[in-house]
């Protein structure tokens, strides 16, 4: 089966990293078409996945855009659309991995007579998207032959927004647990590089954006024992510079300059996670899936996650991690302090999480689930 994957982003966010794992088994028979150039293209190339940047201009529709702004962007879409339609004719199906890719993919699917699959990596709720964007996404997604939701939470929100349940299947992100086994000497070296020996190091791994809640961790840190320090790993991928400035200000105001470090975007996540004592996830709005939560588990690190959306499907409180109320820094500080004090109990929970996560999110199994869904669809359209 020849697949044309479409993704609007040149930057490697969670949806893009997931796509690398999905496209890998098809690399001899697929193309990833991007609507913008960037580090994601380089990552695909490193993984020997054929990639082509189909547009030189980025599409100016944001999550909160109005209908008029959406319409105005149509002019930019036409040359891209023409290219996608022409390319799609060489493939058996179109696999849209993001919302703008869905819109372009749906029109191309109609014009090239190729079935459309949509991988839904978002929670289509008012917290995340304007009403216009939700309406467009659901209307267009309902024309797809298959919607793959990255969690039950994403599927539920899709259906509540008017999405068709009968075309929607839930498939979690897959991970290769080998990539998260880091040897002790490397862990020691990374900790030295971070200058955090003798500290209780809390890691936060996410792009810097208000809803990812880095400010909640900083606020919590103030309420934790002095030995608790934090690294914030990630960058403002989508222009959230104002938030970054606010975080720096907050750190100065709270006098935490010596306890928080910004590491920027990094591609050595397993090494960095393994060098931490604890990983926290602090999203203030429901997380569609939460790759970082599973990655922390695979590194054998205890994880505290904000109790909403997909995170609730990944973490069972006290069994394979900890859940806290989103936005509640005091509660977060309490759980961080408990993890520090009850280290052997916490280590047992982390070790259990590592074993179960490596089975539950095994990339080979997950890819098999996707392959079966695509094969069924392929058969159906050929009949
Ligand atoms: N990530 C990364 N480098 C960074 C920060 C994050 O590679 O500096 C990765 C992280 O390991 C995870 C992904 O980006 O695999 C983020 O996915 P998640 O589902 O947690 O959030 P999203 O970005 O999709 O909202």
């Amino acid at each position: 089966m020849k697949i044309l994957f479409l993704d609007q982003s040149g930057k490697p966010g969670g949806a893009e990293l997931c796509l690398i794992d999905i496209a890998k088994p098809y690399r001899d028979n697929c193309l990833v078409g991007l609507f913008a150039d960037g580090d994601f293209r380089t990552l695909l190339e490193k993984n020997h996945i054929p990639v082509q940047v189909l547009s030189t201009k980025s599409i100016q529709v944001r999550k909160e855009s109005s209908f008029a702004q959406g319409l105005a962007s149509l002019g930019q879409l036409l040359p891209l659309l023409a290219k996608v339609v022409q390319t799609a004719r060489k493939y058996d199906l179109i696999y849209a991995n993001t919302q703008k890719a869905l819109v372009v993919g749906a029109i191309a699917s109609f014009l090239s007579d190729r079935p459309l699959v949509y991988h839904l990596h978002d929670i289509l709720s008012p917290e995340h998207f304007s009403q216009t964007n939700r309406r467009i996404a659901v209307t267009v997604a309902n024309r797809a032959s298959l919607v793959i939701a990255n969690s039950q939470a994403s599927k539920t929100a899709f259906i509540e927004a008017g999405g068709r349940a009968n075309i929607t299947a839930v498939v979690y992100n897959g991970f290769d647990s080998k990539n998260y086994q880091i040897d002790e000497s490397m862990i020691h070296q990374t900790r030295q590089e971070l200058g955090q020996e003798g500290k209780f190091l809390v890691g936060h791994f996410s792009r810097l954006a208000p809803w990812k809640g880095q400010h909640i961790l900083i606020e919590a840190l103030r309420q934790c024992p002095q030995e608790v320090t934090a690294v914030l790993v990630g960058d403002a991928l989508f222009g959230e510079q104002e938030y970054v400035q606010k975080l720096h200000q907050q750190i100065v105001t709270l006098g935490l300059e010596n306890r928080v470090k910004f590491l920027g975007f990094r591609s050595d996540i397993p090494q960095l996670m393994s060098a931490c004592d604890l990983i926290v996830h602090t999203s203030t709005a429901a997380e569609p899936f939460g790759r970082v939560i599973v990655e922390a588990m695979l590194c054998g690190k205890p994880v505290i996650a904000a109790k909403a959306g997909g995170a609730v499907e990944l973490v069972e409180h006290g069994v394979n991690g900890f859940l806290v109320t989103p936005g509640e820094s005091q509660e977060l500080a309490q759980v961080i302090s408990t993890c520090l004090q009850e280290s052997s109990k916490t280590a047992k929970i982390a070790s259990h999480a590592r074993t179960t996560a490596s089975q539950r999110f095994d990339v080979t199994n997950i890819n098999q689930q996707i392959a079966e869904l695509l094969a069924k669809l392929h058969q159906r359209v050929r009949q």
Side-chain angles (χ1 to χ4, degrees):
M1 192 188 322
K2 294 180 73 181
I3 306 180
L4 173 61
F5 294 100
L6 296 176
D7 192 294
Q8 72 203 41
S9 182
K11 296 174 184 172
E16 287 67 36
L17 295 171
C18 170
L19 182 61
I20 293 178
D21 287 320
I22 291 171
K24 245 186 228 171
Y26 298 96
R27 60 184 156 203
D28 294 333
N29 271 312
C30 80
L31 176 69
V32 179
L34 301 182
F35 300 175
D37 200 359
D39 292 343
F40 180 36
R41 175 181 55 78
T42 320
L43 265 180
L44 286 159
E45 284 167 354
K46 265 193 197 151
N47 283 279
H48 309 288
I49 298 167
V51 55
Q52 195 181 335
V53 180
L54 300 172
S55 171
T56 46
K57 282 188 192 152
S58 69
I59 305 167
Q60 300 301 332
V61 189
R62 300 183 69 86
K63 283 180 168 186
E64 60 282 1
S65 290
S66 67
F67 186 66
Q69 287 164 322
L71 269 187
S73 68
L74 270 183
Q76 302 163 255
L77 281 184
L78 289 179
L80 168 67
L81 190 56
K83 221 174 206 174
V84 174
V85 172
Q86 192 189 24
T87 312
R89 294 208 168 103
K90 298 179 216 147
Y91 293 85
D92 298 314
L93 73 85
I94 301 173
Y95 192 114
N97 196 50
T98 56
Q99 280 199 25
K100 290 169 201 166
L102 167 68
V103 175
V104 173
I107 305 172
S109 150
F110 177 73
L111 295 175
S112 64
D113 194 25
R114 297 294 186 273
L116 174 70
V117 174
Y118 176 40
H119 200 133
L120 173 66
H121 294 279
D122 294 309
I123 292 208
L124 295 176
S125 68
E127 281 171 302
H128 287 283
F129 293 95
S130 70
Q131 195 187 20
T132 308
N133 267 349
R134 270 180 289 143
R135 212 177 273 162
I136 293 174
V138 169
T139 309
V140 180
N142 277 344
R143 299 190 65 88
S145 304
L146 169 67
V147 174
I148 297 175
N150 65 349
S151 66
Q152 193 57 49
S154 296
K155 177 180 173 178
T156 304
F158 176 62
I159 293 166
E160 276 171 8
R164 286 166 58 201
N166 64 337
I167 56 167
T168 311
V170 174
V171 181
Y172 290 135
N173 281 206
F175 299 82
D176 185 346
S177 57
K178 284 199 303 294
N179 296 339
Y180 298 87
Q181 287 161 11
I182 308 300
D183 64 59
E184 277 305 321
S185 62
M186 173 62 86
I187 296 175
H188 184 68
Q189 192 189 323
T190 311
R191 257 190 105 93
Q192 267 186 337
E193 279 165 14
L194 293 173
Q196 299 294 323
E197 291 125 310
K199 303 285 182 197
F200 186 80
L201 182 61
V202 177
H204 191 292
F205 296 77
S206 168
R207 58 201 156 87
L208 304 176
W211 77 274
K212 290 290 190 179
Q214 281 86 356
H215 59 286
I216 304 294
L217 170 59
I218 295 170
E219 181 59 36
L221 210 59
R222 186 172 68 107
Q223 304 164 60
C224 290
Q226 279 291 326
E227 65 200 281
V228 181
T229 58
V231 281
L232 303 181
V233 184
D235 209 347
L237 285 191
F238 304 112
E240 298 92 344
Q241 287 309 330
E242 209 181 299
Y243 181 61
V244 179
Q245 268 181 5
K246 272 194 190 159
L247 291 177
H248 284 283
Q249 257 167 24
Q250 186 191 10
I251 290 166
V252 173
T253 309
L254 299 178
L256 295 171
E257 294 95 326
N258 296 328
R259 291 173 62 192
V260 187
K261 262 193 181 161
F262 288 83
L263 299 189
F265 186 88
R266 298 279 295 244
S267 44
D268 53 349
I269 297 300
Q271 283 87 332
L272 287 170
M273 279 190 173
S274 302
C276 292
D277 295 295
L278 172 70
I279 314 296
V280 297
H281 161 270
T282 55
S283 294
T284 55
E287 186 73 58
F289 177 75
R291 290 176 60 85
V292 290
I293 298 169
V294 178
E295 291 173 319
M297 290 176 178
L298 294 175
C299 289
K301 293 293 152 179
V303 60
I304 304 176
K307 189 178 178 181
V312 179
E313 295 163 54
L314 310 180
V315 179
E316 200 181 331
H317 186 74
V319 176
N320 63 350
F322 304 92
L323 290 168
V324 291
T325 314
E328 291 292 329
S329 61
Q330 204 178 344
E331 193 182 328
L332 177 63
Q334 264 165 16
V335 181
I336 294 175
S337 303
T338 308
C339 288
L340 166 67
Q341 282 150 15
E342 300 179 1
S343 57
S344 64
K345 190 174 155 197
T346 308
K348 270 190 202 139
I349 289 177
S351 159
H352 173 67
R354 182 177 222 164
T355 312
T356 49
S358 60
Q359 291 158 4
R360 192 172 173 211
F361 303 102
D362 174 62
V363 72
T364 311
N365 287 341
I366 298 287
N367 279 341
Q368 185 58 32
Q369 290 174 34
I370 292 184
E372 281 167 19
L373 287 168
L374 297 185
K376 256 192 221 158
L377 168 64
H378 193 50
Q379 241 176 13
R380 215 170 65 212
V381 295
R382 276 158 59 127
Q383 274 166 8

